[in-house]
Amino acid sequence: MFTKILIANRGEIAMRIMRACQELGVKTVAVYSDADQNALHVQFADEAVHLGASAPKESYLNRDKLIQAALHSGAEAIHPGYGFLSENAAFAAAVESAKLKFIGPSADSIRAMGDKAESKILMKKAGVPTVPGFEGLETEAEFKQAAQEIGYPVLIKASAGGGGKGMRVVSQESELQDALELARGEALNSFGDERLLIEKYIAAAHHVEFQVFGDEQGNLIHLFERECSVQRRHQKIIEETPSPVLTSELREQMGAAAVQAAKAVNYFNAGTIEFIFDPSSAQYYFLEMNTRLQVEHPVTELVAGIDLAQWQIRVAAGEKFPFQQKDFMQRGHAIECRVYAEDPASGFLPSTGKLLQFIEPHGPGVRVDSGFAKGKTVTHFYDPLLAKLIVHAENRETAIQKMQNALKNFIVHGVVTNVDFMQAVLAHPDFASGQVTTRWVETVLAVADLAVEKNKPTPEQLISAALAEATLANSSIAAVERRNESDPYSPWRQTNGFRN
Amino acid sequence: MFTKILIANRGEIAMRIMRACQELGVKTVAVYSDADQNALHVQFADEAVHLGASAPKESYLNRDKLIQAALHSGAEAIHPGYGFLSENAAFAAAVESAKLKFIGPSADSIRAMGDKAESKILMKKAGVPTVPGFEGLETEAEFKQAAQEIGYPVLIKASAGGGGKGMRVVSQESELQDALELARGEALNSFGDERLLIEKYIAAAHHVEFQVFGDEQGNLIHLFERECSVQRRHQKIIEETPSPVLTSELREQMGAAAVQAAKAVNYFNAGTIEFIFDPSSAQYYFLEMNTRLQVEHPVTELVAGIDLAQWQIRVAAGEKFPFQQKDFMQRGHAIECRVYAEDPASGFLPSTGKLLQFIEPHGPGVRVDSGFAKGKTVTHFYDPLLAKLIVHAENRETAIQKMQNALKNFIVHGVVTNVDFMQAVLAHPDFASGQVTTRWVETVLAVADLAVEKNKPTPEQLISAALAEATLANSSIAAVERRNESDPYSPWRQTNGFRN
Amino acid sequence: MKLLFDSQPIEIVPTPNGYDVLFDGQTHPVEIARLDKASGQIEFRIGGIAQSAYISFDGAKRWITLNGQTRMLTKTSTARRGARQDSTAGLTAPMPGQVRSVAVGVGEAVKKGQTLLTMEAMKMEIKIQALMDGKIKTIFVAPGATVEREQTLVEMAE
Amino acid sequence: MKLLFDSQPIEIVPTPNGYDVLFDGQTHPVEIARLDKASGQIEFRIGGIAQSAYISFDGAKRWITLNGQTRMLTKTSTARRGARQDSTAGLTAPMPGQVRSVAVGVGEAVKKGQTLLTMEAMKMEIKIQALMDGKIKTIFVAPGATVEREQTLVEMAE
């Protein structure tokens, strides 16, 4: 086992990994930017290295600084977390070149899965179902013929693309020509590459992904699925497992396909195969592979009964993964809610500020993976994830109840959060019946109504505000809080004298 | 389902039950004594009823006051928790007479299992193994013959007994006469009843108990065992499941015996069959039944994947328990450490005072069922349990690691706790090999050494104390804490004027 | 004590048992059960029904959580009412972030809805669009600039 | 600054980088990394090794948790040293609790080890036993009385 690991990340995932390290008896090195000098992960680590300015490219995305920090602090390995450099093949390679261990898959695996078009071709070869479509077409006639073959509606998207750019849904042949021109222009502008691909458009799709895990000796299995269809702007908000739309036959098929996909790139460590699932036809298609630990890994941990973060470190240290597929089963139901600093009533605009209150819910079956605490500041430099609230219960119904109650007891002041919004999702009949598709938040859930509902304060809210004014205002609270603040750099010496 | 429940208890178990109620959408009524007016369970409940003075008989043991409080507040049921009136058949009967529901077994079941000698006879009849021995003997000659039949060493104990009184271990025949006389005298003094029983003395025994659970329609199953051999003064300190000493064959046999025992008294709701287990012979013997939820129920919840507190309420409300024996399996390993306000170095003397610091550990697989918080006061009126720390991991080894790390992060100041003592237990090779018997703490673990080791402060401790003096002392901390204290009865009005 | 929250006038008057809170022509008698200044928690009763609120102070803002719902109210003084400018000519940053690009120049004529500049915050791109047809009068920021919430970015003229 | 903890003399002297802490003839240079007054947490380095301590103040007592181990130190002033009475004649309550029964009367002769009274606290019975042979001089408590830690219960004479 390693004696010291550098965690090249921040927020809740840095905390999660450091807790795993503590339990394994491994020392931790945190890294931080200017904005994070007072952050929780810096305080929690055994030591912390300052990287640079707040902008990610000066800090958490700066490969050289990270590797230097690891070498300088005597760390033997780097855990990348998720986001930032976690899926950067060049970083993984550079880490290994510096004789450090990259806690994740090989640089080759990351590279192979990094390009959308290439990985799709690779998966087709490996016999993994992909969305029906064609790559490498050029003329309008070719596209027209392809569209007829696939059947409308079709999706046109940039080969080099991502983030919805250069993407067009075409419902009938008459729209095809315009769509091709527009998509080509956008693709060229955004990626400097006008190549397009065409595939079947799946209107009401679920996002169902499979966790895979393997050691460096070639033992790789899957740990079942996660249903991640509750999304806004292509970003997941609520995840759960088991998926309410899978039968056990489908689960077995898709799990086998996920293992096949991962083995096609000689995968090891934790990874996720994302599928698009069409409930109308019960068909599933490979979407992409995430070559790192996912944000939503806790639901798998709870339902499969495994500590993924610990095992990531163990297998990176050379341990064999001692389990086989048959050792795992899904037990109970787990749901994760991502508590974001954002305002759902204003189009999910991020919200920043100092956390005036931050009370996490507690109780049996309630887990909070948090990167913040009362008094900490949420800045605009990084993603708005404050904490993940995860519950585990006997079945989906009780898990929903548990989550609703836990959300009620999660109190955040100082930034606007999506907590109340997630309550609305959980209380919706479509969620109860498991019919939420990836476009559901945008198309079905009446976000506008939520905003309207909030316009008029309730009598109880007005009374609370008035009571606070009468009892708490101008009291010692504000003064006390200021005095309790700790300043990490020039602490007590200016203010405290010595008594001899 | 009920709309409102009164919880006739305090501390962590009151909190545990109220959390279950919250998730079920059931309103809660707390009760409290003078000493507990500021307690956590009072603040957490939807409403709270004052019972009376701090002495238990004036408050938590006062049947009439509890029933009146339930009737007055409109509660439909009473949950007794553990301890206090939870195993009092007369209370259970009185609750039902008041047209309230007692959340637990029937008064008849409680009564049948309440008397040690009677329940032993009942169990023999039901074919449940009991410790070999005889009841109803009178003359010394009868005892001598019985002892020969059983084989020395034998145990003589008061039929009406409990708490070790009137109990004598006899290793050879020459000691028998004296032992009988002494035991008779003690039995008469303590219980007004000189009847004795004789049974085989099991020197190196494990305490292994089985959780049973049933509904009022007659479906009753077991939920596997708990190993509770780490004890001091016959009180459990650390519990775990699975037991390191059971084979799967033994588990199946003992589980079946537990179900048989419970069915013999038409048991429903949560209960526990305690066995003495002799590892040298692999024999098990019925010891007694606890007709209520146990302190250590969380380890079962984690390893069996069930919420016992919720199901207690559900089946009391008339729901069927929908599971069969085959629906359950043990997954992973769970350990519970009871954090007591007591000083192991001074013979586990209770410690009281105000909690100056109370930081609970957090993290995946770590659960804290707590009845206290920073600023609360631990009084001498009730038992010294501050919180239960429970971990769940893939296997026993990682569970021990997780517990060791969690204990390291549990910080309590203001009262002495057994946290460091439990670290010593967990680190002991006997614990690692699962060889701890019920008398191990007293006979093997060198408590004296622990005390000596603490006598001399370490250099780091001295340095910390000196730094605190230089940086924290006479600072704003003390003043701030005083100002933050909330006074529940005459809050802001004396101090705050109004600004118009 | 007269208050104004989100333009709602409220009066609060101490009583022997607690307070009377008056608004919309109604009087709500309130009893205080417990007050925890450290956490900003107030437990009270309205008409016998127990309520528990968490309240934080943030300048004129009040963060209130009640029954698991959080909302923000703004305390205003009568004097400052109506002072808010609703001009469509000045474009402000909807949140703190960094200016990524500026798509127009001073003096340029633009159409309503046209993107004038883009910002970035928390991995998200935000387009600042013209609220009317007109001309660019002043541009206050350059690409790369860090801006605060409600900082004016561009001023237009008709 | 000179201190005395559990009879151990310590001196602490500010330095440009933090403090020097002196005891047992050794000087330990300490650097402060972070100080959180709200939680009483001090992060510091001794000889380059990071340490994190939680410290609470309780009159003269200091509760210290370091590396997951908690211990209490008592700060004493040199003046008060040695003032503690070690008499075996006065019997004090080892902890707060309630007197359950008194087994002896004033003037009664008792043997060392004989139970004089029983107390109850936290469901536990505690026997107060004579520390020497002698006579009961005074009994300060009656059954049912609530007593504080270190309150004198019984006084004996030889």
Side-chain angles (χ1 to χ4, degrees), chain C residues 128-156:
Chain C
I128 307 296
Q129 296 164 317
L131 296 171
M132 58 177 193
D133 292 355
K135 258 188 179 167
I136 302 297
K137 198 173 151 196
T138 325
I139 298 170
F140 295 96
V141 291
T146 297
V147 296
E148 294 303 310
R149 176 196 265 262
E150 284 172 25
Q151 182 176 333
T152 303
L153 306 171
V154 174
E155 206 168 349
M156 286 178 59

Side-chain angles (χ1 to χ4, degrees), chain B residues 396-435:
Chain B
R396 190 165 190 267
E397 192 190 338
T398 49
I400 293 173
Q401 282 182 334
K402 201 179 265 291
M403 181 57 89
Q404 289 175 316
N405 189 56
L407 282 171
K408 255 180 107 164
N409 290 297
F410 206 141
I411 296 163
V412 181
H413 291 171
V415 298
V416 180
T417 74
N418 64 340
V419 166
D420 295 358
F421 168 77
M422 292 193 288
Q423 289 279 25
V425 174
L426 290 172
H428 199 284
D430 286 354
F431 187 83
S433 62
Q435 285 169 8

